[in-house]
């Protein structure tokens, strides 16, 4: 669940970038737009590449459908991580699910945009994945939720069986979904 997606992720060709000067930006945009002409998603949308100018405005127009598709990927994976980690009642299993779903999500974003970041930037994203797994796999969220529930709940709410477990599980899934959202936006920005 982790090793194979990481290998596939490393096989994705790297982007050069970002340009170091304003003079090199035009050539950089032109290379990126030429590379996007082989993008499977844009080809399925029957995108007319000749209608886009080879400048920053044309690039923004060409990237817009990819950004919408990235939002769909994000919505799907965030819901997936929310449900799976809400159901799982084990911190180790939560951490494993967080890593597996996050690596798959990052890989799909890179495939969507026809390339990945440099190894240094990929290492930064890997650290974010690790921190998310540590936070999501720890019992800190469950402990905090139980403390809040005990502090603010009334005697009638405490009488409902398993309410504390349900709320704790939902809070755990919510935190993990928020962490994946953060990783997703940062990966898309790279």
């Amino acid at each position: 669940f982790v090793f194979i997606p990481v290998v596939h992720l490393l096989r994705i060709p790297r982007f050069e970038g970002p340009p170091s000067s304003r003079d090199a930006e035009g050539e950089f945009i032109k290379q990126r737009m030429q590379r996007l002409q082989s993008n499977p998603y844009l080809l399925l949308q029957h995108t007319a590449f000749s209608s886009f100018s080879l400048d920053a405005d044309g690039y923004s127009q060409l990237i817009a459908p990819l950004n919408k598709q990235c939002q769909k990927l994000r919505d799907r994976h965030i819901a997936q991580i929310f449900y799976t980690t809400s159901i799982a009642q084990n911190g180790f299993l939560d951490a494993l699910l967080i890593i597996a779903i996050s690596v798959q999500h990052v890989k799909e974003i890179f495939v969507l945009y026809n390339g990945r970041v440099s190894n240094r930037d990929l290492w930064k994203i890997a650290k974010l994945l690790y921190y998310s797994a540590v936070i999501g796999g720890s019992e800190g969220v469950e402990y905090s939720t139980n403390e809040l529930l005990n502090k603010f709940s009334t005697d009638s709410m405490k009488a409902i069986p398993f309410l504390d477990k349900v709320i704790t599980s939902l809070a755990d899934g919510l935190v993990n979904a928020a962490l994946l959202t953060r990783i997703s936006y940062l990966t898309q920005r790279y």
Side-chain angles (χ1 to χ4, degrees), residues 3-174:
F3 182 72
I4 292 173
V6 167
V7 169
H8 288 287
L9 189 118
L10 291 173
R11 286 184 173 173
I12 298 171
R14 275 192 310 214
F15 282 133
E16 300 296 324
S20 56
S21 68
R22 291 295 258 179
D23 299 333
E25 185 177 325
E27 185 61 32
F28 176 75
I29 289 173
K30 189 183 297 184
Q31 288 175 356
R32 287 288 307 268
M33 289 182 75
Q34 288 172 349
R35 189 171 183 176
L36 285 173
Q37 289 180 2
S38 63
N39 186 300
Y41 179 76
L42 292 175
L43 292 173
L44 280 174
Q45 300 297 318
H46 304 292
T47 304
F49 295 103
S50 60
S51 65
F52 298 104
S53 60
L54 296 175
D55 58 2
D57 291 333
Y59 181 73
S60 297
Q61 292 172 358
L62 186 61
I63 281 294
L66 295 178
N67 292 339
K68 289 179 185 175
Q69 182 63 20
C70 186
Q71 182 62 41
K72 290 179 184 177
L73 287 174
R74 185 178 300 117
D75 292 344
R76 184 181 60 171
H77 286 120
I78 288 171
Q80 183 181 17
I81 204 164
F82 174 77
Y83 293 133
T84 56
T85 58
S86 291
I87 293 170
Q89 295 294 317
N90 184 334
F92 178 74
L93 187 58
D94 278 352
L96 188 63
L97 288 168
I98 291 166
I99 289 175
I101 293 171
S102 298
V103 167
Q104 181 66 27
H105 181 65
V106 168
K107 182 184 90 89
E108 287 184 21
I109 288 175
F110 288 152
V111 167
L112 178 67
Y113 285 101
N114 256 23
R116 69 173 175 89
V117 295
S118 67
N119 291 336
R120 185 185 72 217
D121 293 333
L122 194 61
W123 183 250
K124 290 177 185 176
I125 293 171
K127 285 195 299 188
L128 291 173
L129 293 175
Y130 173 73
Y131 294 147
S132 294
V134 168
I135 292 169
S138 71
E139 302 298 321
V141 174
E142 292 180 28
Y143 177 75
S144 301
T145 307
N146 282 334
E147 288 298 316
L148 287 173
L149 184 65
N150 287 334
K151 189 165 192 92
F152 294 116
S153 64
T154 61
D155 291 333
S156 60
M157 284 182 66
K158 290 180 184 178
I160 300 172
F162 302 113
L163 180 66
D164 60 335
K165 289 290 184 190
V166 171
I167 291 175
T168 302
S169 294
L170 291 175
D172 197 25
L174 181 66

